[in-house]
């Protein structure tokens, strides 16, 4: 006897913008977390205090990588709930905005300077200057891509509410089928059928008893018992 399999609900997300935004989020988080961990390591090694801006950005980038992993597993293995993803991206948007705001405030003087020996005095200083500017660029990219993901979640969520909930075929536990429809065991109906159409199917198999009156295209007939 074959095992019953559960049909995976179709994704509500348009593939191209969904994966493009997620790739941008992933790339930004990887770059930001790598630069932050590099700075934190050297500051700790030289016995300096780590600024709160670095800690916040490191936490945001790592948390984004974690949520990216969890949500992509849901996307491919089951289905990504737009409401669940919306809540996550809303929280990430707040975190990215906070981290980027702290970074922009701390680097306001650095961004307008050129990365040269005159301003940074050594090759190591020039490298730090370039890392700061790279960090700022990808932190901004992470913020914008997370905002974009949040907007996409809102759009998909609205479309989901407008279209109605997905109902797996032959789901006897679902009692919220649309009005005028009910669950069906007939294949090919996606788990729903119209009662009128079903009644029509029943009528097509009806034949009157032999002792009743019948009509034909040619006239009236009466069958004697």
């Amino acid at each position: 006897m074959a095992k019953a399999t559960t049909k995976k609900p179709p994704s509500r997300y348009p593939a191209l913008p969904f994966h493009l935004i997620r790739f941008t989020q992933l790339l930004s988080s990887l770059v930001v977390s790598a630069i932050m961990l590099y700075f934190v390591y050297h500051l700790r090694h030289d016995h300096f205090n780590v600024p709160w801006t670095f800690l916040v950005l490191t936490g945001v980038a790592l948390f984004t990588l974690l949520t990216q992993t969890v949500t992509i597993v849901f996307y491919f293995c089951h289905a990504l709930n737009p409401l669940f993803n919306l809540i996550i991206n809303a929280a990430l948007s707040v975190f990215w905005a906070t981290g980027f705001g702290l970074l922009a405030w701390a680097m306001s003087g650095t961004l307008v300077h050129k990365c040269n020996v005159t301003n940074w005095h050594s090759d190591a200083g020039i490298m730090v200057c370039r890392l700061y500017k790279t960090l700022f660029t990808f932190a901004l990219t992470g913020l914008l891509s997370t905002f974009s993901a949040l907007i996409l979640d809102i759009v998909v969520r609205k479309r989901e509410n407008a279209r109605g909930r997905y109902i797996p075929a032959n789901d006897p536990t679902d009692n919220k089928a649309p009005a005028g429809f009910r669950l069906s065991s007939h294949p090919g109906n996606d788990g729903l059928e119209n009662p009128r159409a079903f009644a029509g199917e029943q009528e097509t198999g009806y034949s009157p008893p032999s002792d009743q009156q019948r009509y034909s295209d040619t006239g009236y007939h009466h069958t004697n018992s």
Side-chain angles (χ1 to χ4, degrees):
M1 183 177 180
K3 287 185 178 181
T5 57
T6 303
K7 185 177 180 182
K8 177 181 177 293
S11 174
R12 297 289 190 182
Y13 287 91
L16 182 60
F18 177 78
H19 292 294
L20 182 61
I21 291 173
R22 288 183 64 88
F23 174 77
T24 308
Q25 280 184 292
L26 178 63
L27 179 63
S28 302
S29 301
L30 287 172
V31 173
V32 170
S33 60
I35 295 176
M36 286 292 90
L37 290 174
Y38 174 82
F39 281 150
V40 169
Y41 170 78
H42 283 282
L43 287 172
R44 289 291 189 184
H45 183 267
D46 295 334
H47 306 287
F48 289 104
N49 293 327
V50 180
W52 277 102
T53 300
F54 288 7
L55 295 177
V56 172
L57 276 175
T58 303
V60 171
L62 294 177
F63 183 61
T64 302
L65 292 175
L66 176 62
T67 57
Q68 288 272 302
T69 303
V70 172
T71 53
I72 202 64
V73 169
F74 279 127
Y75 179 83
F76 284 112
C77 295
H78 180 61
L80 183 58
N81 189 326
L83 179 59
F84 173 72
N85 208 41
L86 187 152
I87 294 172
I88 290 178
N89 282 319
L92 286 175
S93 297
V94 175
F95 297 154
W96 275 107
T98 302
F100 180 77
L102 292 172
L103 181 66
W105 177 76
M107 294 179 56
S108 57
T110 305
L111 294 174
V112 297
H113 292 159
K114 292 183 179 181
C115 298
N116 53 30
V117 178
T118 303
N119 294 320
W120 292 88
H121 308 296
S122 65
D123 292 338
I126 293 174
M127 184 191 69
V128 171
C129 174
R130 290 172 179 171
L131 285 176
Y132 271 136
K133 292 189 176 184
T134 303
L135 174 64
F136 181 87
T137 301
F138 279 94
L140 177 60
T141 304
L143 174 64
L144 295 178
S145 60
T146 304
F147 280 159
S148 300
L150 178 61
I151 293 172
L152 180 62
D153 290 332
I154 294 173
V155 171
V156 172
R157 176 65 177 170
K158 288 183 177 179
R159 289 179 180 177
E160 184 184 49
N161 290 337
R163 293 177 182 176
R165 188 170 58 87
Y166 173 82
I167 303 175
N170 305 325
D171 185 359
T173 63
D174 192 288
N175 297 320
K176 297 181 180 179
F181 292 83
R182 64 182 177 85
L183 294 174
S184 169
S185 59
H186 295 275
N189 291 339
D190 293 331
L192 293 174
E193 67 181 8
N194 192 319
R196 296 178 180 178
F198 180 75
E201 292 178 2
Q202 296 293 331
E203 292 172 1
T204 57
Y206 172 80
S207 60
S210 59
D211 60 342
Q212 289 186 2
Q213 297 176 352
R214 293 184 296 180
Y215 291 85
S216 67
D217 295 335
T218 57
Y220 171 83
H221 299 273
H222 181 77
T223 303
N224 294 324
S225 52

